Amino acid sequence: ETGVTQTPRHLVMGMTNKKSLKCEQHLGHNAMYWYKQSAKKPLELMFVYSLEERVENNSVPSRFSPECPNSSHLFLHLHTLQPEDSALYLCASSQTQEITGNQPQHFGDGTRLSIL
Amino acid sequence: GQNIDQPTEMTATEGAIVQINCTYQTSGFNGLFWYQQHAGEAPTFLSYNVLDGLEEKGRFSSFLSRSKGYSYLLLKELQMKDSASYLCASMDSNYQLIWGAGTKLIIKP
């Protein structure tokens, strides 16, 4: 149990569908992150939220839309995805954006997304 | 550009010792992290080095040489449960983590 919960664990969707990924952290952290993890590739940082404000958007296509309604919840809204978007989507949180060894990032188990 | 290199896959024997290397090139440096990720699970934090030298935590140790842009993770007395991917990440001057692609470690009996 990492303190970061992601739902669903698995999602299969067609290219025309709209779905949302959910992340909830029970650690009292102020920063939350979305990452994309593809096989044999480094983690790709997608979005960063600090105190519910988006502070980073790493040139992510507009078909991915994040939402952070409060410091404990983070969503990733998906629409009109492409087959290359199939990957593991990881949510993480940290006390602040200034990550240290005493305050590292904590990850959820991820959502395995498959686009048909 | 910023880059992290680590081997794609390694194999070791139960009870033995294995060293996983990581070299990094980042714009500035604010520390190096190692994470463990079992298949289908969350990456979990193992260690953090910001000063040169060796940090020991039980069976796991991590080493850093800032002048060489080099780190390694040392795992002793290997157990079957240590089969996992090990992710190296360097933090740049903007406190952004630059990740390696991970090293898949296979432990054989």
Side-chain angles (χ1 to χ4, degrees), chain A residues 16-45:
Chain A
T16 58
N17 292 156
K18 288 185 181 181
K19 296 285 184 184
S20 297
L21 309 185
K22 179 183 176 182
C23 176
E24 183 175 0
Q25 57 98 358
H26 310 274
L27 301 168
H29 287 168
N30 292 317
M32 295 188 77
Y33 311 78
W34 279 117
Y35 283 94
K36 177 183 180 182
Q37 187 176 35
S38 301
K40 299 185 180 180
K41 290 186 178 180
L43 288 179
E44 297 175 43
L45 180 64

Side-chain angles (χ1 to χ4, degrees), chain A residues 80-95:
Chain A
T80 324
L81 294 193
Q82 304 299 309
E84 62 265 28
D85 297 323
S86 296
L88 182 68
Y89 288 84
L90 290 166
C91 174
S93 71
S94 58
Q95 186 60 51

Side-chain angles (χ1 to χ4, degrees), chain B residues 29-95:
Chain B
F29 180 75
N30 275 309
L32 189 125
F33 291 82
W34 284 95
Y35 276 77
Q36 179 191 60
Q37 185 178 23
H38 285 101
E41 296 183 13
T44 55
F45 171 71
L46 286 178
S47 68
Y48 171 74
N49 295 68
V50 67
L51 299 176
D52 289 351
L54 189 69
E55 296 275 347
E56 297 187 70
K57 268 190 191 179
R59 294 189 299 114
F60 292 8
S61 303
S62 56
F63 172 84
L64 176 69
S65 169
R66 288 173 297 172
S67 62
K68 295 181 180 178
Y70 167 70
S71 173
Y72 67 73
L73 182 68
L74 190 72
L75 292 74
K76 302 177 184 176
E77 301 169 18
L78 285 170
Q79 301 175 9
M80 298 303 292
K81 68 179 181 179
D82 297 329
S83 292
S85 287
Y86 291 86
L87 311 180
C88 172
S90 174
M91 189 156 56
D92 67 14
S93 56
N94 294 321
Y95 289 93

Side-chain angles (χ1 to χ4, degrees), chain A residues 60-99:
Chain A
V60 179
S62 59
R63 58 186 184 268
F64 294 92
S65 174
E67 179 190 1
C68 187
N70 55 60
S71 59
S72 299
H73 293 86
L74 187 65
F75 294 89
L76 188 62
H77 303 299
L78 316 171
H79 66 96
T80 324
L81 294 193
Q82 304 299 309
E84 62 265 28
D85 297 323
S86 296
L88 182 68
Y89 288 84
L90 290 166
C91 174
S93 71
S94 58
Q95 186 60 51
T96 70
Q97 270 189 276
E98 293 188 1
I99 303 159

